[in-house]
Amino acid sequence: MSQTPADPVGPIGPAERSELVDFDLDLTLDETRRRAQVLAALGPDWDPIAVIRGEDEAYALLYSGLDPQQQATYDSLVEAGVLPRGEHGHAAP
């Protein structure tokens, strides 16, 4: 008399394991809601152009008044691509 090995049965039976179930999740509504909440939190006075200008001014102040050694280090970091070039509009990608 030969015995057949038993099918491994875990938390679900063998029939459930062989079938795949499609799972679709549409996050469009949630993303729209999230964006609306972000804009509401920013308020009606939020001015993205003013924010970019402020970031540019802060960046210019950060690297102004460097001594020659600091300027050389800054220039080498810009050339290596570690820091962006001092161009307008770089602060907020």
Side-chain angles (χ1 to χ4, degrees), residues 49 52-57 59 85-92:
I49 302 301
I52 291 172
R53 282 189 194 125
E55 289 178 357
D56 284 341
E57 290 169 7
Y59 184 84
R85 297 197 183 281
E87 298 170 354
H88 176 70
H90 70 277

Side-chain angles (χ1 to χ4, degrees), residues 1-77:
M1 187 180 326
S2 70
Q3 291 184 336
T4 58
D7 286 336
V9 177
I12 57 175
E16 288 93 353
R17 265 191 250 159
S18 64
E19 295 179 22
L20 296 178
V21 177
D22 286 335
F23 183 76
D24 292 331
L25 184 60
D26 184 4
L27 297 175
T28 306
L29 180 60
D30 289 329
E31 179 63 14
T32 303
R33 184 179 300 125
R34 184 194 68 80
R35 288 181 184 193
Q37 289 172 348
V38 167
L39 290 175
L42 290 171
D45 298 330
W46 179 64
D47 182 3
I49 302 301
V51 170
I52 291 172
R53 282 189 194 125
E55 289 178 357
D56 284 341
E57 290 169 7
Y59 184 84
L61 281 174
L62 182 63
Y63 295 110
S64 65
L66 300 178
D67 66 30
Q69 183 180 4
Q70 291 169 330
Q71 186 66 49
T73 301
Y74 171 80
D75 292 340
S76 67
L77 290 172

